[in-house]
Amino acid sequence: MIKQVTDAFKIKDYRTAAKLIKKLLKESPEDPWVLFHLGQLYEVTEKYQEAEKVYRQLLRHTVGAKIVIAAREALQRLEKIQEQKRKEAIAEATSKPDNTEQGVLVLEALNNEIKTQAAQKFAQIMQIDAYSARLLLPSRGWRLYRSGMVGELKFYGQQLLNATIPCFWAKLADIQKIQVFQVNYFTQLDSKATVVCHDRENRLGSLSFDWSEVKQCVKGLLPIFEEVVDRDVRGKLERKTQTQDYFQFYDLHLPNRNCILRLYDNGYEYQQGINIAPQNSQNTIRINWNNLLTSLEKKLQKIQICSDFNTFAENILDRAELLNKIQPHINLIRREKTNWDAAFQLYSGLAFVKNSH
């Protein structure tokens, strides 16, 4: 009967092949050639995942040279089919003009208990080895995995979501469209809020808003670099750039206005506007800043706060080609340009775009 199945496949009579295979599976369910033809049947009916499972099962549990060679050839054939289908799907996904815009694909944190299983799915979708896949999947925060045409990123992102691997994608253009206002100080901080701020052209103005308009906040620490003189291992003096301290940033997201109100500890004018707390000569910037955040967070108790910026930044600071495309909207006086500023804008912008939909 095996020969009859083989002959049916040769003339593409898949209906007859299916009937014969069904009968053979009842009579000899463990016969390697019956299982191989079952894999073939899955393959010709485009049930590629089921076909792959059968062929891999044969490789694990069969010792016959002929059947092993046939299963390996079948797997290679499946890989070529899947690769061609992937190329066609990506070509279709990027065929529309707006899908050719530049974007990023971001992986979200996964519980360690399900990471092994997720890594196998991730490896299969992205065509990498399982060990690398496990290292790439974050246990906390976000990891920017890939940049490129947003249509292609969306194609991969949807496959990852279907495999229950949390992720999202965004266009860089959508991040660039967000208006960022640098807050100088608050003049009202009760049922409504009013800030004096300046825009990207450094024009001064004021903006009033209801607290209900603020949908989330983003916190981040940006390093302050100083050049110091130190001794090397041989005792010689050398100049080094070291992190001496951090600036604290706090973004308020107002998606209905497509804007971010950006505050930072050394840039807020504590002597202007409303009194955040009783002022005295002993108040440090840190004390004033903490008082300001306490006042804000009383108004914003129920909203989401994104505070994993430094985890995100660790894996993106060397992506200069990407960060160079991001306008930081951070007015710090630095001796040298740093990718930290663009990284914070990207992180806050991604949070804005992700949670505005």
Side-chain angles (χ1 to χ4, degrees), residues 15 101 114 121 132-133 146 149 189 207 210-211 224 251 311 322:
R15 183 175 293 180
E101 293 182 48
I114 61 171
K121 296 177 183 177
S132 299
R146 182 177 285 193
M149 289 191 291
L189 196 62
L207 189 150
D210 292 321
W211 291 109
I224 302 170
D251 281 2
T311 302
L322 171 63

Side-chain angles (χ1 to χ4, degrees), residues 315-351:
N315 298 303
I316 196 178
L317 290 174
D318 60 348
R319 303 281 290 270
E321 79 293 342
L322 171 63
L323 294 175
N324 286 338
K325 298 174 184 176
I326 306 296
Q327 179 64 36
H329 302 294
I330 289 175
N331 301 326
L332 298 178
I333 299 173
R334 294 192 181 274
R335 292 182 181 181
E336 295 180 1
K337 181 185 175 184
T338 173
N339 286 338
W340 277 95
D341 298 347
F344 181 74
Q345 172 63 19
L346 178 58
Y347 177 74
S348 188
L350 285 169

Side-chain angles (χ1 to χ4, degrees), residues 127-187:
Q127 295 184 292
I128 58 176
D129 64 275
Y131 178 76
S132 299
R134 185 175 173 81
L135 293 177
L136 285 167
L137 292 173
S139 298
R140 60 190 180 95
W142 296 343
R143 178 188 287 270
L144 193 146
Y145 174 62
R146 182 177 285 193
S147 60
M149 289 191 291
V150 74
E152 182 175 354
L153 302 178
K154 181 179 179 182
F155 166 77
Y156 284 116
Q158 286 175 333
Q159 288 191 66
L160 293 174
L161 291 176
N162 290 340
T164 65
I165 298 171
C167 68
F168 66 96
W169 53 93
K171 293 180 185 177
L172 293 184
D174 288 341
I175 294 172
Q176 304 286 41
K177 290 173 187 174
I178 303 166
Q179 299 181 77
V180 181
F181 296 104
Q182 313 287 334
V183 174
N184 293 45
Y185 54 89
F186 280 88
T187 58

Side-chain angles (χ1 to χ4, degrees), residues 114-349:
I114 61 171
K115 192 180 264 193
T116 300
Q117 185 179 2
Q120 293 171 350
K121 296 177 183 177
F122 184 66
Q124 187 175 25
I125 292 167
M126 305 310 302
Q127 295 184 292
I128 58 176
D129 64 275
Y131 178 76
S132 299
R134 185 175 173 81
L135 293 177
L136 285 167
L137 292 173
S139 298
R140 60 190 180 95
W142 296 343
R143 178 188 287 270
L144 193 146
Y145 174 62
R146 182 177 285 193
S147 60
M149 289 191 291
V150 74
E152 182 175 354
L153 302 178
K154 181 179 179 182
F155 166 77
Y156 284 116
Q158 286 175 333
Q159 288 191 66
L160 293 174
L161 291 176
N162 290 340
T164 65
I165 298 171
C167 68
F168 66 96
W169 53 93
K171 293 180 185 177
L172 293 184
D174 288 341
I175 294 172
Q176 304 286 41
K177 290 173 187 174
I178 303 166
Q179 299 181 77
V180 181
F181 296 104
Q182 313 287 334
V183 174
N184 293 45
Y185 54 89
F186 280 88
T187 58
Q188 186 179 359
L189 196 62
D190 41 41
S191 57
K192 288 177 72 77
T194 301
V195 294
V196 171
C197 56
H198 54 276
D199 63 13
R200 66 183 68 185
E201 278 81 36
N202 209 30
R203 294 174 298 198
L204 194 65
S206 66
L207 189 150
S208 296
F209 59 93
D210 292 321
W211 291 109
S212 61
E213 293 183 67
V214 182
K215 299 304 181 185
Q216 68 181 347
C217 298
V218 172
K219 285 183 175 181
L221 298 175
L222 293 181
I224 302 170
F225 300 109
E226 294 290 343
E227 197 174 73
V228 298
V229 177
D230 199 2
R231 293 186 182 276
D232 63 17
V233 290
R234 297 178 181 177
K236 290 184 179 181
L237 294 176
E238 63 176 358
R239 292 187 180 276
K240 288 182 178 179
T241 300
Q242 292 183 346
T243 300
Q244 295 293 90
D245 203 349
Y246 292 88
F247 290 118
Q248 297 193 55
F249 276 74
Y250 196 85
D251 281 2
L252 304 177
H253 288 186
L254 283 70
N256 288 344
R257 303 192 189 208
N258 197 44
C259 79
I260 292 173
L261 299 179
R262 177 161 292 162
L263 302 87
Y264 82 99
D265 54 356
N266 277 48
Y268 190 89
E269 298 173 19
Y270 300 100
Q271 306 304 322
Q272 301 293 325
I274 62 169
N275 288 329
I276 302 300
Q279 300 293 311
N280 61 63
S281 59
Q282 295 181 346
N283 270 16
T284 62
I285 288 177
R286 182 61 52 84
I287 290 171
N288 286 330
W289 177 254
N290 289 340
N291 287 335
L292 174 61
L293 291 195
T294 298
S295 298
L296 291 177
E297 289 176 357
K298 283 180 181 176
K299 302 290 186 182
L300 303 168
Q301 292 180 15
K302 295 181 180 179
I303 70 166
Q304 179 177 341
I305 297 178
C306 301
S307 56
D308 281 323
F309 163 64
N310 291 72
T311 302
F312 175 81
E314 287 170 8
N315 298 303
I316 196 178
L317 290 174
D318 60 348
R319 303 281 290 270
E321 79 293 342
L322 171 63
L323 294 175
N324 286 338
K325 298 174 184 176
I326 306 296
Q327 179 64 36
H329 302 294
I330 289 175
N331 301 326
L332 298 178
I333 299 173
R334 294 192 181 274
R335 292 182 181 181
E336 295 180 1
K337 181 185 175 184
T338 173
N339 286 338
W340 277 95
D341 298 347
F344 181 74
Q345 172 63 19
L346 178 58
Y347 177 74
S348 188

